[in-house]
């Protein structure tokens, strides 16, 4: 075994919950050079170690949690972890990113990644500390919400360095969009990782350590670090906007460009006074107690808020819109309380809001009856229902049992799958795809199903991309633009840093910091090559799992029902969808069915993966 690169410990912790076996494997330097860490490393480990056709809720699925070489340094925002698994919603690769302080604590315990497999016979937790790793009973925690679980485990640890990652009742009850939570309010949310933990009887992971990493070339690292901080303090979004208004500060802008979804994506028509009620400005005026940042973050977009006697974080932009205007709800306090409750119960608020909006449309079209809902009138605009529905879903009570399956399976049960606004059965986030070809294509080709982040955060590309901005209805430029944004996001996720740094700079500062930390060559050209490799690995997983180019599409609503954007009626015709998809594949070096070509795989050192 070779010596590990600087910036990593060279150790992967392996936990088999079925046998109770705890072991280690080596993280070879070649994997750091080819995948960095985080999303890239997690995707490759997942592809190597499971049958992609396995049932996501079976013991055969695994969960990979991976750090990067920058985690453990003082690089700005470099405290994020990545969790990779087979998605519970659509069977694609699942990939979820989270801030907070758990991942730096895990890295300080002396590991670079954690692989969890199997299923425990009864509820357990994994305890990781300098003296060793143990699987411990957790029956006393089963049934508790996220804050209470966290409180008990921190008290039992009796060490201020301890951090907790856990699920709530939603994960225990296998809600398909259950989250895994850390720092009480930070979520690995998309794709249902909490349900996978629940299926494995894994309630929590507690961790702390005392190990530090070494930087190989401190001058090289410092040059990238100083440039990154300078640019973060110069860009308007990272200098001021996000700190003052948080992510919900985007709501007025997104409404102005006709991208704010309404009534389960039926239209984008809102009264101006209603939008103002749920804007970042109103949140700051009425509910904000203080702004804060994630670990090592100078941007400080977090909103610490209060409603009555309850405190919490958020709501963020996606939560505000999906629980709000997408459900025709403009009650800021009702949205915020429901956001708190989703965090406590451990649920992804994007999929929760999308499922509620779908249920409301089914009800208003008399496809879902009062008998089905046990008397609840699931009409659009009823903000008082949000908390009740969150509880029913988390505990699978009444109509909540069916809604816990997500909007696709809910709508399909009533013969109306077309009313589920999903891609690869994952709910579309809070940007209207008919208002931007770039946004639509980003959603379509996201490897994990509809996701504004895995889809390349296309709204920035089309509206505030500076010199890289492209026309939002460009058939020619959207495929290349989305490929480039996908690649930047892949690198950010593999570095364990925040997407918002992309408002200030692209690859160069990261390339210098990563090269300085590891002593390996990470030029900007090398980072592009790595991004292409990781995109191919994620695609190979999805193809092996049975997904095809037909899954890279949009719900029929977006092809049939126009909205007005940029002064004209807009839809995405099937021909437009096919053209965008084909040209994106071509820009990636994939064939017309979306399969990476043998030539590309040879260039990316992945030919042996295809053959196996």
């Amino acid at each position: 075994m070779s010596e590990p690169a600087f910036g990593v410990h060279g150790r992967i912790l392996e936990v088999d919950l079925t046998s109770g076996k705890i072991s280690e494997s080596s993280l070879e330097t070649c994997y750091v050079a080819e995948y960095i860490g985080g999303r890239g490393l997690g995707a490759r480990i997942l592809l190597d170690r499971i049958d992609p056709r396995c049932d996501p809720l079976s013991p055969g699925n695994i969960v990979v949690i991976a750090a990067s070489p920058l985690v453990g340094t003082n690089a700005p925002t470099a405290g994020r972890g990545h969790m990779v698994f087979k998605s519970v919603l659509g069977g694609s690769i699942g990939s979820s990113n989270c801030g907070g302080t758990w991942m730096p604590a895990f890295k300080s315990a002396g590991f670079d990644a954690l692989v969890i497999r199997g299923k425990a016979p009864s509820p357990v937790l994994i305890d990781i500390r300098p003296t060793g790793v143990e699987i411990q009973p957790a029956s006393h925690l089963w049934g508790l919400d996220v804050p209470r679980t966290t409180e008990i485990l921190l008290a039992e640890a009796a060490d201020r360095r301890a951090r907790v990652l856990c699920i709530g009742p939603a994960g225990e009850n296998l809600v398909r969009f259950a989250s895994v939570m850390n720092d009480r309010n930070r979520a690995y949310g998309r794709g249902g990782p909490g349900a996978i933990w629940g299926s494995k009887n894994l309630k929590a992971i507690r961790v702390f350590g005392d190990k530090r990493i070494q930087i190989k070339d401190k001058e090289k690292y410092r040059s990238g670090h100083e440039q990154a901080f300078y640019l973060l303090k110069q860009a308007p979004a990272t200098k001021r906007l996000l700190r003052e208004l948080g992510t919900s500060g985007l709501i007025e802008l997104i409404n102005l460009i006709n991208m704010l979804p309404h009534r389960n994506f039926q239209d984008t028509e809102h009264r101006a006074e209603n939008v103002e009620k749920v804007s970042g400005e109103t949140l700051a005026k009425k509910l904000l107690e203080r702004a804060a940042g994630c670990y090592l973050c100078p941007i400080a977009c977090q909103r610490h808020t209060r409603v009555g006697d309850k405190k919490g974080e958020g709501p963020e932009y996606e939560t505000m819109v999906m629980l709000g205007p997408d459900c025709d709800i403009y009650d800021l306090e009702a949205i915020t309380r429901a956001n708190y409750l989703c965090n406590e119960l451990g649920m992804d608020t994007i999929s929760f809001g999308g499922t509620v909006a779908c249920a409301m449309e089914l009800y208003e079209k008399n496809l879902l009856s009062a008998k089905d809902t046990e008397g609840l009138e699931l009409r659009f605009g009823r903000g008082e229902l949000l908390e009740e529905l969150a509880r029913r879903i988390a505990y699978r009570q009444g109509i909540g049992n069916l809604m816990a399956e997500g909007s696709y399976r809910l709508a399909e049960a009533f013969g109306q799958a077309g009313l589920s606004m999903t891609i690869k059965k994952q709910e579309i986030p809070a940007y209207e795809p008919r208002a931007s070809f770039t946004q639509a294509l980003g959603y379509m080709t996201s490897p994990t199903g509809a996701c504004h982040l895995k889809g390349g955060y296309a709204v920035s590309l089309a509206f505030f991309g500076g010199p890289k901005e492209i026309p939002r209805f460009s058939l020619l430029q959207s495929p290349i633009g989305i490929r480039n944004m996908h690649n930047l996001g892949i690198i950010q996720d593999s570095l364990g840093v925040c997407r918002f740094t992309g408002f200030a700079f692209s690859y160069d500062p990261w390339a210098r910091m990563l090269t300085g930390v590891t002593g390996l060559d990470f030029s900007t050209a090398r980072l592009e090559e790595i991004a292409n490799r990781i995109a191919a690995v994620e695609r190979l997983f999805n193809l092996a799992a049975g997904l095809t180019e037909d899954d890279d599409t949009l719900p029929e609503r977006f092809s049939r029902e126009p909205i007005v954007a940029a002064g004209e009626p807009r839809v995405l015709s099937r021909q437009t969808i096919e053209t965008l998809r084909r040209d994106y594949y071509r820009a990636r070096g994939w064939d017309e069915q979306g399969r990476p070509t043998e030539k590309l795989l040879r260039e990316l050192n992945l030919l042996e993966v295809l053959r196996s």
Side-chain angles (χ1 to χ4, degrees):
M1 183 185 107
S2 62
E3 286 295 314
F6 280 73
V8 300
H9 302 292
R11 302 165 70 203
I12 299 173
L13 177 62
E14 313 254 1
V15 178
D16 188 325
L17 295 175
T18 300
S19 66
K21 181 181 177 182
I22 298 169
S23 59
E24 286 185 28
S25 58
S26 299
L27 174 60
E28 300 293 342
T29 298
C30 63
Y31 267 45
V32 178
E34 294 190 343
Y35 298 97
I36 304 174
R39 177 176 171 181
L41 178 62
R44 182 57 196 264
I45 291 174
L46 187 78
L47 183 64
D48 286 346
R49 301 198 188 194
I50 74 166
D51 176 357
R53 290 185 177 270
C54 73
D55 180 342
L57 293 176
S58 73
N61 198 1
I62 69 171
V63 174
V64 185
I65 311 175
S68 91
L70 289 185
V71 174
T73 71
N74 66 345
T77 78
R80 305 186 72 85
H82 219 88
M83 193 176 295
V84 187
F85 46 89
K86 181 173 181 180
S87 170
V88 181
L89 284 168
S92 66
I93 192 168
S95 182
S96 191
N97 187 275
C98 185
T101 58
W102 188 90
M103 183 51 74
F106 174 76
K107 185 83 175 279
S108 74
F111 299 102
D112 303 296
L114 168 63
V115 179
I116 305 164
R117 65 177 70 252
K119 177 180 180 178
S122 58
V124 297
L125 69 93
I126 300 171
D127 192 55
I128 304 169
R129 57 181 69 204
T131 54
V133 181
E134 293 181 345
I135 300 172
Q136 299 178 356
S139 295
H140 65 299
L141 302 171
W142 206 254
L144 299 182
D145 65 17
V146 169
R148 184 61 180 146
T149 301
T150 303
E151 177 186 329
I152 290 171
L153 287 177
L154 291 179
E156 289 178 352
D159 191 300
R160 62 181 179 81
R161 296 170 296 175
R163 296 294 183 270
V164 171
L165 196 60
C166 68
I167 61 172
E172 296 172 4
N173 292 313
L174 309 188
V175 173
R176 286 187 182 267
F177 46 90
S179 302
V180 177
M181 309 292 295
N182 85 93
D183 291 353
R184 296 175 176 83
N185 296 296
R186 318 312 297 166
Y188 290 96
R190 309 241 63 198
I196 299 171
W197 279 41
S199 74
K200 296 181 178 301
N201 277 328
L202 177 61
K203 179 65 176 180
I205 306 174
R206 180 174 55 199
V207 61
F208 64 88
D210 54 13
K211 293 180 173 59
R212 297 176 178 235
I213 62 161
Q214 300 297 314
I215 294 176
K216 176 70 172 177
D217 185 340
K218 293 182 180 179
E219 285 302 314
K220 185 83 169 182
Y221 172 81
R222 187 179 297 116
S223 69
H225 185 270
E226 290 177 352
Q227 184 189 26
F229 261 95
Y230 173 79
L231 294 172
L232 286 169
K233 293 300 183 183
Q234 296 301 311
T238 53
K239 176 185 178 181
R240 187 181 66 254
L241 175 64
L242 288 165
R243 179 183 295 271
E244 292 179 357
L245 298 178
T247 58
S248 58
L250 289 171
I251 287 176
E252 295 272 14
L253 171 63
I254 300 303
N255 180 55
L256 185 66
I257 55 181
N258 296 103
M259 286 193 74
L260 196 68
H262 185 223
R263 295 172 67 93
N264 198 31
F265 287 85
Q266 291 184 63
D267 59 66
T268 56
E269 302 299 319
H270 310 267
R271 294 167 60 186
E273 60 268 31
N274 282 339
V275 174
E276 185 179 358
K277 292 175 184 176
V278 294
S279 67
E281 291 83 352
T282 301
L283 177 69
K285 187 186 301 181
K286 292 190 172 182
L287 304 183
L288 182 66
E289 291 203 317
R290 63 183 176 90
C294 288
Y295 184 80
L296 294 176
C297 179
I299 301 170
C301 72
Q302 278 183 20
R303 307 291 90 180
H304 288 257
T305 53
R306 175 193 287 270
V307 178
D309 61 352
K310 291 206 70 172
K311 290 184 178 183
E313 285 186 27
E316 304 291 342
Y317 169 85
E318 302 293 337
T319 306
M320 186 79 86
V321 178
M322 296 306 292
L323 275 61
D326 194 45
C327 295
D328 203 22
I329 293 169
Y330 301 90
D331 183 336
L332 178 60
E333 292 193 358
I335 294 166
T336 303
R337 286 194 303 269
N339 171 62
Y340 293 164
L341 186 57
C342 284
N343 286 343
E344 291 166 10
L345 298 172
M347 283 192 290
D348 171 33
T349 54
I350 297 176
S351 284
F352 170 74
T355 301
V356 171
C358 177
M360 287 176 167
E361 185 171 359
L362 287 168
Y363 189 89
E364 292 212 342
K365 290 185 172 176
N366 296 316
L367 298 165
L368 184 64
S369 70
K371 181 181 179 182
D372 297 316
T373 66
E374 297 178 309
L376 283 183
E377 292 191 15
L378 295 186
R379 299 193 182 280
F380 283 115
R382 297 199 61 194
E384 70 275 14
L385 293 179
L386 290 174
E387 289 182 273
E388 177 64 24
L389 289 171
R391 291 188 187 92
R392 292 195 185 199
I393 290 170
Y395 293 100
R396 286 187 172 268
Q397 296 169 347
I399 188 61
N401 186 47
L402 189 50
M403 294 176 71
E405 295 294 298
S407 67
Y408 185 88
R409 291 170 177 83
L410 168 69
E412 187 181 46
F414 294 92
Q416 300 290 328
L419 297 185
S420 166
M421 298 301 105
T422 53
I423 297 170
K424 301 179 182 73
K425 300 180 183 176
Q426 178 164 281
E427 284 70 22
I428 296 174
Y431 300 96
E432 165 59 60
R434 284 165 291 192
S436 167
F437 287 174
T438 54
Q439 189 67 64
L441 183 58
Y443 283 157
M444 287 161 51
T445 54
S446 165
T448 61
C451 181
H452 59 299
L453 297 180
K454 303 301 181 298
Y457 202 59
V459 68
S460 64
L461 188 66
F463 296 106
F464 32 94
K468 296 181 180 180
E469 187 168 301
I470 66 173
R472 57 169 155 163
F473 296 111
S474 171
L475 278 171
L476 179 65
Q477 296 180 64
S478 291
I480 296 173
I482 284 298
R483 179 206 61 190
N484 293 343
M485 289 298 286
H486 275 177
N487 280 1
L488 178 59
I490 287 170
I491 294 302
Q492 290 167 332
D493 288 345
S494 300
L495 290 170
V497 301
C498 178
R499 293 297 182 89
F500 290 154
T501 59
F503 289 135
F505 55 84
S506 183
Y507 291 115
D508 186 61
W510 297 129
R512 281 187 280 153
M513 279 186 275
L514 190 59
T515 299
V517 168
T518 62
L520 304 174
D521 173 26
F522 286 105
S523 63
T524 56
R526 184 69 184 275
L527 292 181
E528 282 279 4
E529 175 192 325
I530 291 169
N532 288 330
R533 178 180 296 111
I534 294 166
V537 165
E538 292 176 334
R539 188 66 180 182
L540 290 172
F541 183 94
N542 281 352
L543 292 170
L547 279 74
T548 71
E549 73 273 18
D550 292 335
D551 294 292
D552 295 338
T553 191
L554 292 167
E556 285 291 329
R557 165 162 286 164
F558 302 117
S559 299
R560 296 194 322 263
E561 303 173 24
I563 64 163
V564 175
E568 296 180 25
R570 305 283 183 176
V571 294
L572 284 125
S573 69
R574 304 320 295 179
Q575 181 179 351
T576 296
I577 288 173
E578 289 170 10
T579 299
L580 288 168
R581 180 173 58 200
R582 179 200 65 207
D583 289 349
Y584 173 83
Y585 291 167
R586 185 176 296 153
R588 273 261 171 245
W590 302 349
D591 66 20
E592 291 190 357
Q593 285 72 49
R595 295 181 302 236
T597 63
E598 187 169 318
K599 177 178 180 292
L600 176 67
L601 294 177
R602 184 180 296 108
E603 292 172 354
L604 297 175
N605 195 28
L606 287 173
L607 201 55
E608 81 284 358
V609 176
L610 180 65
R611 289 171 176 162
S612 65

